[in-house]
Amino acid sequence: MTAGFRILERQRKVSAEDVKLFAAIPVANISDSMSRMTAAGPRLRPLHIGGKLAGAAITVKSRPGDNLMVHKALDLAEPGDIVVVDAGGDMNNAIIGELMVAHAIQRGLGGIVINGAVRDLDAIQSGTFPVFAAGVTHRGPYKDGPGEINVPIAIDGMVIAPGDLIVGDSDGLLCVPFDDLQTVYAAAKKKNDAEAEQMANIVAGRSDRSWVDASLQKLNCQIVTAVRPAHG
């Protein structure tokens, strides 16, 4: 087997039930429940109209500017899967465009993430199929390889293994490792419920803000009160 040019079989993936549970929680709350230590960086942004990206990752490591293995991954991916491509963050050539997105939609996939550039932006922006990318260029890709499918990849330090959960919304992208799924969900659900209660209290005008002064006092913040001149 040639390292750098191979297709592996995915050994496991998150269930559709788990995907549905996480899709109901904002990415920010999931991130907070992972100690704010995981992120794919600010460059990867949603390019579609809007809507949550959530699904099991099928990973692709491609040569910058080449999409041969991305085409193969689209054919291998199962309904609901997210094709996550590390193309090195290169912006010189688009890795996908309108036709590949249409193929992904026809196959029932859950979305595409490109650590690199895309093209046919008007078509992508007018649709609801989730597409995240780092940039846009009109220059097309090459189709010569090499590349790898279903190997661990990393985007801005966020490691993604085949079958891990990928979630994304307007705040960005996040990977939840397969082995941490239940622990993260329990914490994220708890935080989400607490924020819903907090929002209800804010709307009702009964939000408790005493924690702000308590925090300042604990941190020994000096609060200087202006001395007003006495009136004679």
Side-chain angles (χ1 to χ4, degrees):
M1 183 177 293
T2 304
F5 203 6
R6 57 189 174 180
I7 299 171
L8 304 181
E9 184 176 349
R10 186 171 53 182
Q11 299 299 311
R12 62 184 186 178
K13 73 172 197 174
V14 298
S15 68
E17 292 75 16
D18 285 329
V19 170
K20 186 175 181 179
L21 289 173
F22 273 92
I25 301 178
V27 169
N29 286 348
I30 303 171
S31 177
D32 284 354
S33 301
M34 297 176 68
S35 302
R36 301 166 183 160
M37 289 292 291
T38 302
R43 292 196 309 155
L44 292 179
R45 303 303 305 158
L47 302 181
H48 54 293
I49 287 176
K52 192 71 167 283
L53 175 147
I58 177 168
T59 59
V60 183
K61 188 171 185 178
S62 69
R63 181 170 66 89
D66 192 287
N67 74 356
L68 176 62
M69 298 302 265
V70 182
H71 276 282
K72 183 60 179 177
L74 290 178
D75 292 339
L76 291 174
E78 299 171 345
D81 281 350
I82 310 296
V83 176
V84 187
V85 182
D86 178 16
D90 182 76
M91 299 296 176
N92 289 308
N93 298 87
I95 297 298
I96 67 165
E98 179 181 10
L99 296 178
M100 294 178 74
V101 169
H103 181 55
I105 293 171
Q106 191 275 331
R107 300 207 65 246
L109 306 191
I112 301 176
V113 175
I114 304 292
N115 182 24
V118 303
R119 66 177 180 179
D120 300 328
L121 182 61
D122 288 343
I124 293 173
Q125 285 185 324
S126 65
T128 58
F129 181 79
V131 175
F132 282 70
V136 179
T137 179
H138 56 78
R139 294 176 62 181
Y142 301 99
K143 295 176 172 59
D144 305 308
E148 297 179 301
I149 295 176
N150 284 328
V151 297
I153 60 175
I155 300 175
D156 265 16
M158 184 177 78
V159 178
I160 306 161
D164 283 350
L165 175 70
I166 299 295
V167 289
D169 59 20
S170 295
D171 287 335
L173 281 164
L174 182 64
C175 173
V176 182
F178 184 96
D179 291 331
D180 296 333
L181 211 64
Q182 303 309 319
T183 301
V184 172
Y185 176 73
K189 177 68 163 56
K190 182 178 180 180
K191 179 173 180 58
N192 201 55
D193 291 346
E195 286 203 355
E197 182 179 357
Q198 184 180 1
M199 180 61 76
N201 288 332
I202 291 172
V203 173
R206 55 174 185 265
S207 177
D208 182 5
R209 304 290 296 168
S210 62
W211 68 270
V212 178
D213 287 337
S215 295
L216 293 173
Q217 185 177 10
K218 182 179 179 180
L219 294 167
N220 296 319
C221 176
Q222 182 181 9
I223 301 176
V224 180
T225 303
V227 179
R228 293 178 175 81
H231 293 286

